[in-house]
Amino acid sequence: MRYRKYPFIAGFLVIPVVLYVVFVIWPYLQTFGYSLTDWSGQSQEMHFVGLENYTKLFGDHVFLQALQHNVLLLVFLPVITILLALFFAFMLNVGGRGGTTGVRGVRGSAFYKVVFFFPQVLSVAILVVLFQAVYRSDGSGLLNGILIKLHLQDPSAPVEWLNSPNLVMWCLLGVQIWAGVGFYLVLFSAAMQSVPKDIYEAALLDGAGRLQTFFKVTLPLLWDSVQTAWVYLAIAAMDFFVLASVLTPGSSFGGGPDYHGEVMATYLMRNFLTFGKSGYACAMGVVILFLTLILSAIALRVSRRDRIEY
């Protein structure tokens, strides 16, 4: 009877595995194959060029500049998003403790959770329209309007938020953080609520303050959730196609001004659909894939800790 279960399990696994190979693994292999050719994308005619696309890639200053932007996002996006989400989750779940009420969130925490999660229900299209109004380069823009009202900016010379080489990537980073904090707040809140209240009450009785409770109790117990969030945010930082392509100036897929808003994904799509360099674009896709896998593995390895049981 024991040996009959294996064919039964295999029968259920065959179809999902076949579908995964056909729709996931095979396109990856095709992309790698096309990256070794000079395929234009317009016809099936192509010639094998070996690693020529890859050698060109690492001599391409636009691609290297886009890679630097992705690295910048990779450094700041996970750190800022996770810190803000952890702080808000802590305050909304255990930050209002005190007196005889025991462990509780700050007053109005249920309302704040809805407010912080609200950006998650907005589509990318709505986000784009919203932040195009926020970053308008005249006095009617939200940020410029606030600065002008506070007399911090000359009305005749408003800030060109998305047209400034020094500001455009930070503006995109701000949009992504604003849109993503709510999701990770809910993730950390769910993990925090699974922690027995007795642990927090014991820390309260021992005289631990909010800072000590956060670093000595909350963070170690939520480390698995933090690790998961770090990997997801690292993957998001290596992509970043949608916001960069629609918010930054440029004739096709954004990237401006002067490639200061370029990320690897936008440069890939421009080569694939606009320049007709599909083989070259496939080489970029392969590089992005391996960079993402390597960085995810490094993030998991560096953040590995012994799991705390409670």
Coordinates of all heavy atoms in Angstrom, one line a residue, residues 28-102:
Y28 N 12.6 30.6 -21.1 CA 14.0 31.0 -20.6 C 15.1 30.4 -21.5 O 16.0 31.1 -21.9 CB 14.2 30.5 -19.2 CG 13.5 31.3 -18.1 CD1 13.0 30.7 -17.0 CD2 13.4 32.7 -18.2 CE1 12.3 31.4 -16.0 CE2 12.8 33.4 -17.2 CZ 12.3 32.8 -16.1 OH 11.7 33.5 -15.1
L29 N 14.9 29.2 -21.9 CA 15.9 28.6 -22.8 C 15.9 29.2 -24.2 O 17.0 29.4 -24.8 CB 15.6 27.1 -22.9 CG 15.8 26.2 -21.6 CD1 15.4 24.8 -21.8 CD2 17.2 26.3 -21.1
Q30 N 14.7 29.5 -24.7 CA 14.6 30.2 -25.9 C 15.3 31.6 -25.9 O 16.0 32.0 -26.8 CB 13.1 30.4 -26.3 CG 12.5 29.2 -26.9 CD 11.1 29.5 -27.4 OE1 10.3 30.1 -26.7 NE2 10.8 29.1 -28.7
T31 N 15.1 32.3 -24.8 CA 15.7 33.6 -24.6 C 17.2 33.5 -24.6 O 17.9 34.3 -25.3 CB 15.2 34.3 -23.3 OG1 13.8 34.4 -23.3 CG2 15.8 35.7 -23.2
F32 N 17.7 32.5 -23.9 CA 19.2 32.3 -23.9 C 19.7 32.0 -25.3 O 20.7 32.5 -25.8 CB 19.6 31.2 -23.0 CG 21.0 31.0 -22.9 CD1 21.9 31.8 -22.3 CD2 21.6 29.8 -23.5 CE1 23.3 31.6 -22.2 CE2 22.9 29.6 -23.5 CZ 23.8 30.5 -22.8
G33 N 18.9 31.2 -26.1 CA 19.3 30.9 -27.4 C 19.3 32.1 -28.3 O 20.3 32.3 -29.1
Y34 N 18.3 32.9 -28.2 CA 18.2 34.1 -29.1 C 19.3 35.1 -28.7 O 19.7 35.9 -29.6 CB 16.8 34.8 -28.9 CG 15.7 34.0 -29.5 CD1 14.4 34.0 -28.9 CD2 15.8 33.5 -30.8 CE1 13.4 33.3 -29.5 CE2 14.8 32.8 -31.4 CZ 13.5 32.7 -30.7 OH 12.5 32.1 -31.3
S35 N 19.8 35.1 -27.4 CA 20.8 36.0 -27.0 C 22.1 35.7 -27.7 O 23.0 36.6 -27.7 CB 21.0 36.0 -25.5 OG 21.6 34.8 -25.1
L36 N 22.3 34.5 -28.3 CA 23.5 34.2 -29.0 C 23.4 34.4 -30.5 O 24.3 34.0 -31.2 CB 23.8 32.7 -28.7 CG 23.9 32.3 -27.3 CD1 24.2 30.8 -27.2 CD2 25.1 33.0 -26.6
T37 N 22.4 35.2 -30.9 CA 22.2 35.5 -32.3 C 22.0 37.0 -32.6 O 21.9 37.8 -31.6 CB 20.9 34.7 -32.8 OG1 19.7 35.4 -32.3 CG2 20.9 33.3 -32.5
D38 N 21.9 37.3 -33.8 CA 21.7 38.8 -34.2 C 20.2 38.9 -34.6 O 19.9 39.8 -35.4 CB 22.6 39.2 -35.3 CG 22.4 38.4 -36.6 OD1 21.6 37.4 -36.5 OD2 23.0 38.7 -37.6
W39 N 19.3 38.2 -34.0 CA 17.9 38.2 -34.3 C 17.3 39.6 -34.2 O 17.6 40.3 -33.2 CB 17.1 37.3 -33.4 CG 15.6 37.2 -33.7 CD1 15.0 37.1 -34.9 CD2 14.6 37.2 -32.7 NE1 13.7 37.1 -34.7 CE2 13.4 37.1 -33.4 CE3 14.6 37.2 -31.3 CZ2 12.2 37.0 -32.7 CZ3 13.4 37.1 -30.6 CH2 12.2 37.1 -31.3
S40 N 16.6 40.1 -35.2 CA 16.0 41.4 -35.2 C 14.6 41.5 -34.6 O 14.1 42.6 -34.3 CB 16.0 42.0 -36.6 OG 15.1 41.3 -37.4
G41 N 14.0 40.3 -34.5 CA 12.7 40.3 -34.0 C 11.6 40.4 -35.0 O 10.4 40.2 -34.8
Q42 N 11.9 40.9 -36.2 CA 11.0 41.1 -37.3 C 10.8 39.9 -38.2 O 9.9 39.8 -38.9 CB 11.4 42.3 -38.1 CG 11.6 43.6 -37.4 CD 10.3 44.0 -36.7 OE1 9.2 43.9 -37.3 NE2 10.4 44.6 -35.5
S43 N 11.8 39.0 -38.2 CA 11.7 37.8 -39.0 C 12.4 36.6 -38.3 O 13.0 36.8 -37.2 CB 12.4 38.0 -40.4 OG 13.8 38.2 -40.2
Q44 N 12.3 35.4 -38.8 CA 12.9 34.3 -38.3 C 14.4 34.1 -38.7 O 15.1 33.2 -38.3 CB 12.1 33.0 -38.6 CG 10.8 32.9 -38.0 CD 10.9 32.9 -36.4 OE1 11.7 32.2 -35.9 NE2 10.0 33.7 -35.8
E45 N 14.8 35.0 -39.6 CA 16.2 34.9 -40.0 C 17.1 35.5 -39.0 O 17.0 36.6 -38.5 CB 16.4 35.8 -41.3 CG 17.8 35.7 -41.9 CD 17.9 36.5 -43.2 OE1 16.9 37.0 -43.7 OE2 19.0 36.6 -43.7
M46 N 18.1 34.7 -38.6 CA 19.1 35.1 -37.6 C 20.4 34.3 -37.9 O 20.4 33.3 -38.5 CB 18.5 34.8 -36.2 CG 18.3 33.3 -35.9 SD 17.4 33.0 -34.4 CE 15.8 33.5 -34.8
H47 N 21.5 34.9 -37.3 CA 22.8 34.3 -37.4 C 23.4 34.1 -36.0 O 23.3 35.0 -35.2 CB 23.7 35.1 -38.3 CG 23.1 35.3 -39.7 ND1 22.4 36.4 -40.0 CD2 23.2 34.6 -40.8 CE1 22.0 36.4 -41.3 NE2 22.5 35.3 -41.8
F48 N 24.1 33.0 -35.9 CA 24.8 32.8 -34.6 C 26.0 33.7 -34.4 O 26.9 33.8 -35.3 CB 25.2 31.3 -34.5 CG 25.9 31.0 -33.2 CD1 25.2 30.7 -32.1 CD2 27.3 30.8 -33.2 CE1 25.8 30.4 -30.9 CE2 27.9 30.5 -32.0 CZ 27.2 30.3 -30.8
V49 N 26.0 34.4 -33.3 CA 27.1 35.4 -33.1 C 27.9 35.1 -31.8 O 28.8 35.8 -31.4 CB 26.6 36.8 -33.0 CG1 26.1 37.3 -34.4 CG2 25.6 37.0 -31.9
G50 N 27.5 34.0 -31.1 CA 28.2 33.6 -29.9 C 27.9 34.6 -28.8 O 26.8 35.0 -28.5
L51 N 29.0 34.9 -28.1 CA 28.9 35.8 -26.9 C 29.1 37.3 -27.3 O 29.3 38.1 -26.4 CB 29.9 35.4 -25.9 CG 29.8 34.0 -25.3 CD1 30.9 33.7 -24.3 CD2 28.4 33.8 -24.6
E52 N 28.9 37.6 -28.6 CA 29.2 39.0 -29.0 C 28.2 40.0 -28.4 O 28.6 41.1 -28.0 CB 29.0 39.0 -30.6 CG 29.3 40.4 -31.1 CD 29.1 40.5 -32.6 OE1 29.3 39.4 -33.3 OE2 28.8 41.5 -33.2
N53 N 26.9 39.6 -28.2 CA 26.0 40.5 -27.6 C 26.4 40.8 -26.1 O 26.2 41.9 -25.6 CB 24.6 39.8 -27.6 CG 23.9 39.9 -29.0 OD1 24.2 40.8 -29.7 ND2 23.2 38.9 -29.3
Y54 N 26.9 39.8 -25.4 CA 27.3 40.0 -24.0 C 28.5 40.9 -23.9 O 28.6 41.7 -23.0 CB 27.5 38.6 -23.4 CG 26.3 37.8 -23.2 CD1 26.0 36.8 -24.2 CD2 25.4 37.9 -22.1 CE1 24.8 36.1 -24.1 CE2 24.3 37.2 -22.0 CZ 24.0 36.2 -23.0 OH 22.8 35.5 -22.9
T55 N 29.5 40.7 -24.8 CA 30.6 41.6 -24.8 C 30.3 43.0 -25.1 O 30.8 44.0 -24.5 CB 31.7 41.1 -25.8 OG1 31.1 41.0 -27.1 CG2 32.2 39.7 -25.4
K56 N 29.3 43.2 -26.0 CA 28.8 44.6 -26.3 C 28.1 45.2 -25.1 O 28.2 46.4 -24.9 CB 27.9 44.6 -27.5 CG 28.6 44.3 -28.9 CD 27.5 44.4 -30.0 CE 28.2 44.2 -31.4 NZ 27.1 44.2 -32.4
L57 N 27.4 44.3 -24.4 CA 26.6 44.7 -23.3 C 27.4 45.4 -22.3 O 27.0 46.5 -21.8 CB 25.8 43.5 -22.8 CG 24.6 43.8 -21.9 CD1 23.5 44.6 -22.7 CD2 24.0 42.5 -21.4
F58 N 28.5 44.8 -21.9 CA 29.3 45.4 -20.8 C 30.2 46.5 -21.3 O 31.0 47.0 -20.5 CB 30.0 44.3 -20.1 CG 29.1 43.4 -19.3 CD1 28.7 42.2 -19.8 CD2 28.6 43.8 -18.1 CE1 27.8 41.4 -19.1 CE2 27.7 43.0 -17.4 CZ 27.3 41.8 -17.9
G59 N 30.1 46.9 -22.6 CA 30.8 48.1 -23.0 C 29.8 49.2 -23.4 O 30.2 50.2 -23.9
D60 N 28.5 48.9 -23.1 CA 27.4 49.8 -23.4 C 27.2 50.8 -22.2 O 26.8 50.4 -21.2 CB 26.2 49.1 -23.7 CG 25.0 49.9 -24.3 OD1 25.1 51.1 -24.0 OD2 24.1 49.4 -24.9
H61 N 27.6 52.0 -22.4 CA 27.5 53.0 -21.3 C 26.1 53.2 -20.8 O 25.8 53.5 -19.6 CB 28.2 54.3 -21.6 CG 27.4 55.2 -22.5 ND1 27.3 55.0 -23.9 CD2 26.6 56.2 -22.2 CE1 26.5 55.9 -24.4 NE2 26.0 56.7 -23.4
V62 N 25.1 53.1 -21.7 CA 23.7 53.3 -21.3 C 23.2 52.1 -20.4 O 22.6 52.3 -19.4 CB 22.8 53.4 -22.5 CG1 21.3 53.6 -22.1 CG2 23.2 54.6 -23.4
F63 N 23.6 50.9 -20.8 CA 23.2 49.8 -20.0 C 23.9 49.8 -18.6 O 23.3 49.5 -17.6 CB 23.6 48.5 -20.7 CG 23.3 47.2 -19.9 CD1 22.0 46.7 -19.8 CD2 24.4 46.6 -19.2 CE1 21.8 45.6 -19.0 CE2 24.1 45.4 -18.5 CZ 22.8 44.9 -18.4
L64 N 25.2 50.2 -18.6 CA 25.9 50.3 -17.3 C 25.3 51.4 -16.4 O 25.2 51.2 -15.2 CB 27.4 50.6 -17.6 CG 28.2 49.5 -18.3 CD1 29.6 49.9 -18.6 CD2 28.1 48.1 -17.5
Q65 N 24.9 52.5 -17.1 CA 24.2 53.5 -16.3 C 22.9 53.0 -15.7 O 22.5 53.3 -14.6 CB 24.0 54.8 -17.1 CG 23.5 56.0 -16.4 CD 23.4 57.2 -17.3 OE1 23.7 57.2 -18.4 NE2 23.0 58.3 -16.7
A66 N 22.1 52.3 -16.5 CA 20.9 51.7 -16.1 C 21.1 50.7 -14.9 O 20.4 50.6 -14.0 CB 20.2 51.0 -17.2
L67 N 22.2 49.9 -15.1 CA 22.6 48.9 -14.0 C 22.9 49.7 -12.7 O 22.5 49.2 -11.6 CB 23.8 48.1 -14.5 CG 24.4 47.1 -13.4 CD1 23.3 46.1 -13.0 CD2 25.6 46.4 -14.0
Q68 N 23.6 50.8 -12.8 CA 23.8 51.6 -11.6 C 22.5 52.1 -10.9 O 22.4 52.1 -9.7 CB 24.7 52.8 -12.0 CG 26.1 52.5 -12.3 CD 26.9 53.7 -12.8 OE1 26.4 54.8 -12.8 NE2 28.2 53.5 -13.1
H69 N 21.6 52.5 -11.7 CA 20.3 52.9 -11.2 C 19.6 51.7 -10.5 O 19.0 51.9 -9.4 CB 19.4 53.5 -12.3 CG 20.0 54.7 -12.9 ND1 19.7 55.1 -14.2 CD2 20.8 55.6 -12.4 CE1 20.3 56.2 -14.5 NE2 21.0 56.6 -13.4
N70 N 19.6 50.5 -11.1 CA 19.0 49.4 -10.4 C 19.7 49.1 -9.1 O 19.1 48.6 -8.1 CB 19.0 48.2 -11.4 CG 17.9 48.2 -12.4 OD1 18.2 48.5 -13.6 ND2 16.7 47.9 -12.0
V71 N 21.0 49.2 -9.1 CA 21.8 48.9 -7.9 C 21.4 50.0 -6.8 O 21.2 49.6 -5.6 CB 23.3 49.0 -8.1 CG1 24.1 49.0 -6.8 CG2 23.7 47.8 -9.0
L72 N 21.2 51.2 -7.2 CA 20.8 52.2 -6.2 C 19.4 51.9 -5.7 O 19.2 52.0 -4.4 CB 20.7 53.6 -6.9 CG 20.3 54.8 -6.1 CD1 21.0 56.1 -6.6 CD2 18.8 55.1 -6.2
L73 N 18.5 51.5 -6.5 CA 17.2 51.0 -6.0 C 17.3 49.8 -5.1 O 16.6 49.7 -4.1 CB 16.3 50.7 -7.2 CG 15.9 51.9 -8.1 CD1 15.2 51.4 -9.4 CD2 15.0 52.8 -7.4
L74 N 18.2 48.9 -5.5 CA 18.4 47.7 -4.7 C 18.9 48.0 -3.3 O 18.6 47.3 -2.4 CB 19.4 46.8 -5.4 CG 19.7 45.4 -4.8 CD1 18.4 44.5 -4.8 CD2 20.8 44.7 -5.5
V75 N 19.7 49.0 -3.2 CA 20.2 49.4 -1.8 C 19.1 50.1 -1.0 O 18.9 49.8 0.2 CB 21.4 50.3 -2.0 CG1 21.9 50.9 -0.7 CG2 22.6 49.6 -2.6
F76 N 18.4 51.1 -1.6 CA 17.5 51.9 -0.8 C 16.1 51.4 -0.7 O 15.5 51.6 0.3 CB 17.5 53.3 -1.4 CG 18.8 54.1 -1.2 CD1 19.8 54.2 -2.1 CD2 19.1 54.7 0.1 CE1 21.0 54.9 -1.9 CE2 20.2 55.4 0.3 CZ 21.2 55.5 -0.7
L77 N 15.6 50.8 -1.8 CA 14.2 50.4 -1.7 C 13.9 49.3 -0.6 O 13.0 49.6 0.2 CB 13.8 49.8 -3.1 CG 12.3 49.3 -3.2 CD1 11.3 50.4 -2.9 CD2 12.1 48.6 -4.6
P78 N 14.6 48.2 -0.5 CA 14.3 47.3 0.6 C 14.5 47.9 2.0 O 13.7 47.7 2.9 CB 15.3 46.1 0.3 CG 15.7 46.2 -1.1 CD 15.7 47.7 -1.4
V79 N 15.6 48.6 2.1 CA 16.0 49.2 3.5 C 14.9 50.1 4.0 O 14.4 50.0 5.1 CB 17.3 49.8 3.5 CG1 17.6 50.6 4.8 CG2 18.4 48.8 3.2
I80 N 14.6 51.1 3.1 CA 13.6 52.1 3.6 C 12.2 51.5 3.7 O 11.5 51.8 4.7 CB 13.6 53.3 2.6 CG1 14.9 54.0 2.5 CG2 12.5 54.3 3.0 CD1 15.1 55.1 1.5
T81 N 11.8 50.7 2.8 CA 10.4 50.1 2.8 C 10.3 49.2 4.1 O 9.3 49.3 4.8 CB 10.2 49.3 1.6 OG1 10.3 50.1 0.4 CG2 8.7 48.8 1.6
I82 N 11.3 48.4 4.3 CA 11.2 47.5 5.5 C 11.2 48.2 6.8 O 10.4 47.9 7.7 CB 12.3 46.4 5.4 CG1 12.0 45.4 4.2 CG2 12.4 45.6 6.7 CD1 13.1 44.4 4.0
L83 N 12.1 49.2 6.9 CA 12.2 50.0 8.1 C 10.9 50.7 8.4 O 10.4 50.7 9.6 CB 13.3 50.9 8.1 CG 14.7 50.3 8.2 CD1 15.8 51.4 8.0 CD2 14.9 49.6 9.5
L84 N 10.3 51.3 7.4 CA 9.0 52.1 7.6 C 7.9 51.1 8.0 O 7.1 51.3 8.9 CB 8.7 52.9 6.4 CG 9.5 54.1 6.1 CD1 9.1 54.7 4.8 CD2 9.3 55.1 7.2
A85 N 7.8 50.0 7.2 CA 6.8 49.0 7.5 C 6.9 48.4 8.9 O 5.9 48.2 9.6 CB 6.8 47.9 6.4
L86 N 8.1 48.1 9.3 CA 8.3 47.5 10.6 C 7.9 48.5 11.7 O 7.3 48.2 12.7 CB 9.8 47.1 10.8 CG 10.2 45.8 10.3 CD1 11.7 45.6 10.4 CD2 9.5 44.6 11.0
F87 N 8.3 49.8 11.5 CA 8.0 50.8 12.5 C 6.5 51.0 12.6 O 5.9 51.0 13.7 CB 8.7 52.1 12.1 CG 8.2 53.3 12.9 CD1 8.7 53.5 14.2 CD2 7.3 54.2 12.4 CE1 8.2 54.6 15.0 CE2 6.9 55.3 13.1 CZ 7.3 55.5 14.4
F88 N 5.8 51.1 11.5 CA 4.4 51.3 11.5 C 3.7 50.1 12.1 O 2.7 50.2 12.9 CB 3.8 51.7 10.1 CG 4.2 53.0 9.7 CD1 4.7 53.2 8.4 CD2 4.1 54.1 10.5 CE1 5.1 54.5 7.9 CE2 4.5 55.4 10.0 CZ 5.0 55.6 8.8
A89 N 4.1 48.9 11.7 CA 3.5 47.7 12.2 C 3.6 47.6 13.7 O 2.7 47.2 14.4 CB 4.1 46.5 11.5
F90 N 4.8 47.9 14.2 CA 5.1 47.9 15.6 C 4.2 48.8 16.4 O 3.6 48.5 17.4 CB 6.6 48.2 15.9 CG 6.9 48.2 17.3 CD1 7.1 47.0 18.0 CD2 7.1 49.4 18.0 CE1 7.5 47.0 19.4 CE2 7.4 49.4 19.4 CZ 7.6 48.2 20.0
M91 N 4.1 50.1 15.9 CA 3.3 51.1 16.6 C 1.8 50.7 16.5 O 1.0 50.9 17.5 CB 3.5 52.4 15.9 CG 4.9 53.0 16.1 SD 5.4 53.1 17.8 CE 4.3 54.3 18.4
L92 N 1.3 50.1 15.4 CA -0.1 49.8 15.3 C -0.5 48.5 16.0 O -1.7 48.2 16.2 CB -0.4 49.6 13.8 CG -0.3 50.9 13.0 CD1 -0.7 50.6 11.5 CD2 -1.1 52.0 13.5
N93 N 0.5 47.7 16.5 CA 0.2 46.5 17.2 C 0.5 46.5 18.6 O -0.2 46.0 19.5 CB 0.8 45.3 16.4 CG 0.2 45.0 15.1 OD1 -0.8 44.2 15.1 ND2 0.7 45.5 14.0
V94 N 1.7 47.0 18.9 CA 2.2 46.9 20.3 C 2.7 48.3 20.8 O 3.2 48.4 22.0 CB 3.2 45.8 20.6 CG1 2.7 44.5 20.3 CG2 4.5 46.1 19.7
G95 N 2.7 49.3 20.0 CA 3.3 50.6 20.3 C 2.5 51.4 21.3 O 3.0 52.3 21.9
G96 N 1.2 51.1 21.5 CA 0.4 51.8 22.5 C 0.3 51.2 23.8 O -0.6 51.6 24.6
R97 N 1.1 50.3 24.2 CA 1.0 49.6 25.4 C 1.3 50.5 26.6 O 2.0 51.5 26.5 CB 1.9 48.4 25.5 CG 3.4 48.8 25.3 CD 4.2 47.6 24.9 NE 5.6 48.1 24.7 CZ 6.5 48.2 25.6 NH1 6.2 47.9 26.9 NH2 7.7 48.6 25.3
G98 N 0.7 50.2 27.7 CA 1.0 51.0 28.9 C -0.1 50.9 29.9 O -1.2 50.6 29.6
G99 N 0.2 51.3 31.1 CA -0.8 51.3 32.2 C -1.3 49.9 32.4 O -0.6 48.9 32.4
T100 N -2.6 49.8 32.7 CA -3.2 48.5 33.0 C -3.9 47.8 31.8 O -4.4 46.7 31.9 CB -4.3 48.7 34.1 OG1 -5.3 49.6 33.5 CG2 -3.8 49.2 35.3
T101 N -3.7 48.4 30.6 CA -4.4 47.9 29.4 C -3.5 46.8 28.7 O -4.0 46.2 27.8 CB -4.6 49.0 28.4 OG1 -3.4 49.7 28.1 CG2 -5.6 50.1 29.0
G102 N -2.3 46.6 29.2 CA -1.5 45.6 28.6 C -0.9 46.0 27.2 O -0.8 47.2 26.9

